[in-house]
Amino acid sequence: MEILQIVGLGLVATFLVLIVKEQKPNFAFFIVMFVGCAIFLFLIDQVHAIIMMIEKIAVNANVNMVYLETILKIIGIAYIAEFASQMTKDAGQGAIASKIELAGKILILAMAIPILTVLIETIVQMIPN
């Protein structure tokens, strides 16, 4: 049960941070950063397995891999931006967190434009003249 390990690590870290925060707030922040990164790295194998399953489904469905790669990149940008934003908020820097979220949204939009263009062209071709 991986979720139990993640929750356990999170709870232990929370208790440590609450204890350490009063004497050494900088050290408490490093604990938060370390645990956040550890949880992120702990999930890398699961993310890899999900990507492999999606690629297998796409190959079986005869989907153009360029579109799949773009969609996976968009999903990656969303998760990374969210992770960085939350870590920045934990550091008390809400303004920077907002800028990270904005940058993620703009990058997602920029990457989605080619897919949206193909989608719109396909819909227009389906409409009878």
Side-chain angles (χ1 to χ4, degrees):
M1 299 294 294
E2 294 171 345
I3 189 64
L4 294 177
Q5 293 173 330
I6 293 170
V7 169
L9 178 62
L11 290 174
V12 169
T14 300
F15 293 130
L16 280 173
V17 166
L18 290 174
I19 292 169
V20 172
K21 187 185 257 185
E22 294 176 14
Q23 276 76 28
K24 303 274 185 176
N26 291 340
F27 189 67
F29 174 69
F30 286 125
I31 293 172
V32 170
M33 293 291 288
F34 174 77
V35 171
C37 291
I39 290 171
F40 186 75
L41 292 174
F42 186 75
L43 296 173
I44 292 293
D45 289 336
Q46 295 298 323
V47 171
H48 184 269
I50 291 167
I51 291 171
M52 292 294 110
M53 282 191 290
I54 291 172
E55 285 181 353
K56 184 178 177 184
I57 292 168
V59 167
N60 290 339
N62 206 18
V63 173
N64 190 341
M65 293 305 285
V66 172
Y67 300 130
L68 178 66
E69 289 174 5
T70 303
I71 290 170
L72 290 174
K73 287 177 185 178
I74 288 170
I75 293 168
I77 290 170
Y79 281 129
I80 291 169
E82 176 69 19
F83 178 77
S85 173
Q86 289 178 5
M87 294 297 271
T88 308
K89 286 178 185 174
D90 287 343
Q93 299 299 317
I96 295 173
S98 297
K99 304 313 180 280
I100 291 171
E101 291 172 358
L102 177 65
K105 290 172 186 175
I106 291 172
L107 289 171
I108 287 170
L109 181 59
M111 292 193 77
I113 288 174
I115 294 175
L116 291 173
T117 303
V118 169
L119 183 62
I120 292 170
E121 289 173 355
T122 304
I123 291 171
V124 168
Q125 289 176 356
M126 296 170 112
I127 298 173
N129 291 336

